[in-house]
Amino acid sequence: MREVLRAAVMVCRKDLRMEWRTKATISYVVPFVLIVVVLFAFALDTDPVLLRRATAGVYWITVLFAATLIAQRSAAIEGRDGVMDSLRLSGLDPAGQFLGKAAAIFAQLLLIQIPLGIGVAVLYGVSLERPGIGVLSALLATLAVAASGAIYGPLAAGFVGSEAVLPLLYLPVLTPVMMAATRSAESALGFGVGAGWHWTAMLGMLGATFLVLGTLTAASLLEHR
Amino acid sequence: MRQATATAQATATAQATERAPGADSADARAMGGLALRFSNVVALSGGFPVLTGVDLQVQVGSICWLAGANGAGKTSILRVAAGLLQPASGTAEVLGMNLRSDLPAVRAAVGLLSHQSGMYEELSVAENLQFWGRACGAKNSEIAASLRRAEVSQRLEPVPFAQLSSGQRRRVSLAAMLVRRATLWCLDEPHAGMDAPGRDLVDGLLLEARDSGVTTLIASHDADRVASLATDRVWVQGGAISSDSGLSEGQTTTSNIGRAEP
């Protein structure tokens, strides 16, 4: 367990350090999510009620698009110039490597949700009515998206044309996450208050499932990329 | 050409030094002093048979030169020895360990210097070495020592790896290999891209390694340099060990360095 944690911390720190150097998330992904939000705002501008009702769905679809970009990059940095061979020889625990990648994706997804949240609040005219459920569901949904990204990013990297393959593999898997996250977010925004906690619990289960799945398949993914 | 199977003599008695994990050396001794034993190893890459039945024995502490044309299978032999390419059939033992059942232990005992750097472009030299060094449990002092031993200038330590010249990159990769304290070195064209001092450095490291009991497999076209270092030479041709160098008589001046008899 100690080796798993050690590997996870090392890989996460390394990924975030590389992100800090390149500023790829801040430079490209943040503007991308803001453009998506603005485009939806223009598209639904004629109906303010519809715009507010669509906020939760738009928010999480935008997060999923951003997650595709981040997961793609996260996998790509390991696929260059013999780094995969170095990782295989490194002795770093594969499960720890997976958890480290997932943690780094998680942190980057949280980062993009700050301007994204501000953007939808301003453009769509919504506010958090139930912040507890809003924050918790966002954290759990982000965990599920990050963990699955750390599975499907390396998986897609093994294919020719991985840029196109990743969304095809990744987005369908995220459908239940998007549904549960959207329902929870609607509840947090004051729409459909009833089942918010149930959807949040489902997000927790989905996050745990992806974490377990990724931990169990990490060694195989490392070998067969 | 002497033979297809390589064995070294004098260095077989070389003792493992403090650099070498004791278990690896013990395993190798249990294998009759052999660091490497391949028997009819076939390996595939993308469905293509890159090794077509390799029989190879290399003794502990020897420097075994894999010679042969481009595409002959030299790199594939190195990758199998490093545990990065699994044999499709045949048996492969590295440092007394089975390549299938003891894969993590084999990998932990191997240092690889390949055509690719194996480094992160965005990280600095120091950050790369910190990452790869700590991954294998090295202390900061050992990481610093490996950088010095590979003669990586201190002024390069904060420089992003992407900004280094090819020779500088090679030295950093060499430092990353040294920090692993490996007992089997797999070197693919180690002199490539190096200036004259860099080439001399590689030669010096090879001799030091040999003297401390490290076994080296080296794939190289740099015959003039490697011939004077290698204790054994095997010819690789068509994915197998060949008894024929495939060279004309005038080119076979280095063909008699093999020290052991069949």
Side-chain angles (χ1 to χ4, degrees):
Chain A
M1 192 60 191
R2 194 175 161 191
E3 281 303 302
V4 173
L5 284 176
R6 187 177 79 93
V9 170
M10 283 183 64
V11 170
C12 179
R13 284 180 59 180
K14 180 262 298 171
D15 275 18
L16 293 178
R17 180 172 284 147
M18 289 171 74
E19 170 52 34
W20 179 250
R21 287 281 150 70
T22 59
K23 308 274 193 302
T25 299
I26 292 170
S27 304
Y28 306 115
V29 184
V30 168
F32 169 76
V33 299
L34 291 177
I35 288 170
V36 172
V37 168
V38 169
L39 287 176
F40 270 105
F42 282 138
L44 303 174
D45 189 36
T46 52
D47 188 344
V49 175
L50 178 62
L51 186 62
R52 278 197 293 278
R53 284 306 302 253
T55 299
V58 170
Y59 181 96
W60 280 106
I61 285 177
T62 307
V63 171
L64 298 196
F65 287 164
T68 307
L69 297 175
I70 293 170
Q72 186 108 56
R73 177 169 160 71
S74 172
I77 58 176
E78 312 294 5
R80 294 185 307 217
D81 205 17
V83 168
M84 280 309 298
D85 282 347
S86 295
L87 282 172
R88 290 181 186 117
L89 292 175
S90 68
L92 285 175
D93 187 277
Q97 291 185 42
F98 159 74
L99 292 171
K101 301 296 285 184
I105 296 173
F106 179 81
Q108 291 174 72
L109 284 173
L110 285 185
L111 177 71
I112 63 125
Q113 287 180 72
I114 296 169
L116 177 63
I118 295 169
V120 295
V122 170
L123 291 170
Y124 293 34
V126 293
S127 58
L128 272 180
E129 301 296 324
R130 303 171 72 193
I133 199 169
V135 170
L136 183 60
S137 66
L139 288 173
L140 292 174
T142 305
L143 177 68
V145 173
S148 52
I151 299 171
Y152 284 90
L155 191 66
F159 289 90
V160 176
S162 59
E163 300 84 357
V165 172
L166 178 60
L168 293 178
L169 292 176
Y170 186 36
L171 293 178
V173 170
L174 288 177
T175 304
V177 177
M178 191 205 63
M179 287 172 59
T182 302
R183 296 292 97 80
S184 296
E186 284 175 346
S187 175
L189 294 172
F191 309 114
V193 172
W197 287 110
H198 293 113
W199 290 111
T200 303
M202 185 178 167
L203 285 171
M205 283 192 290
L206 287 167
T209 302
F210 284 124
L211 280 176
V212 170
L213 188 66
T215 303
L216 293 177
T217 58
S220 179
L221 278 174
L222 184 67
E223 290 304 317
H224 298 112
R225 262 188 75 170
Chain B
M1 196 60 0
R2 293 275 180 94
Q3 60 193 11
T5 301
T7 53
Q9 295 172 329
T11 51
T13 55
Q15 297 298 307
T17 68
E18 59 184 355
R19 287 165 50 87
D24 301 337
S25 301
D27 285 339
R29 281 194 290 275
M31 212 167 81
L34 291 177
L36 197 77
R37 182 157 59 193
F38 284 4
S39 178
N40 199 25
V41 167
V42 174
L44 308 175
S45 178
F48 179 78
V50 288
L51 296 182
T52 55
V54 170
D55 292 301
L56 178 64
Q57 294 186 357
V58 179
Q59 283 211 313
V60 170
S62 61
I63 299 175
C64 178
W65 174 22
L66 304 174
N70 291 331
K74 304 185 294 296
T75 299
S76 298
I77 290 175
L78 294 180
R79 290 183 64 76
V80 171
L84 293 170
L85 180 61
Q86 278 293 325
S89 65
T91 56
E93 290 177 47
V94 177
L95 300 165
M97 296 175 278
N98 188 289
L99 205 49
R100 290 183 197 282
S101 54
D102 303 317
L103 186 58
V106 168
R107 287 177 171 177
V110 170
L112 174 71
L113 185 70
S114 74
H115 290 291
Q116 298 172 301
S117 72
M119 299 288 128
Y120 290 106
E121 298 272 326
E122 294 88 346
L123 296 183
S124 70
V125 168
E127 288 166 344
N128 263 298
L129 258 291
Q130 289 280 335
F131 180 78
W132 296 116
R134 284 181 182 162
C136 65
K139 297 173 187 157
N140 284 342
S141 57
E142 292 172 315
I143 293 167
S146 72
L147 279 167
R148 283 196 300 275
R149 191 64 198 90
E151 295 178 6
V152 177
S153 165
Q154 252 186 328
R155 71 181 172 81
L156 291 179
E157 289 184 19
V159 176
F161 188 78
Q163 292 177 15
L164 300 182
S165 71
S166 64
Q168 289 168 333
R169 294 162 80 96
R170 204 74 173 147
R171 284 173 192 261
V172 176
S173 297
L174 196 55
M177 190 193 75
L178 293 174
V179 83
R180 291 175 57 79
R181 297 156 292 168
T183 45
L184 174 64
W185 288 9
C186 298
L187 311 181
D188 203 351
E189 301 290 354
H191 300 98
M194 295 279 228
D195 54 15
R199 289 166 173 244
D200 291 342
L201 169 71
V202 171
D203 293 353
L205 289 171
L206 276 169
L207 294 175
E208 268 180 34
R210 183 199 63 191
D211 292 345
S212 61
V214 170
T215 309
T216 302
L217 290 179
I218 177 168
S220 178
H221 294 292
D222 198 344
D224 291 340
R225 213 166 251 280
V226 180
S228 62
L229 300 166
T231 54
D232 308 278
R233 178 181 55 194
V234 291
W235 292 102
V236 185
Q237 195 172 35
I241 304 301
S242 169
S243 56
D244 178 11
S245 73
L247 299 175
S248 66
E249 197 58 35
Q251 294 173 288
T252 57
T253 52
T254 60
S255 64
N256 291 329
I257 62 159
R259 304 202 312 190
E261 300 303 326

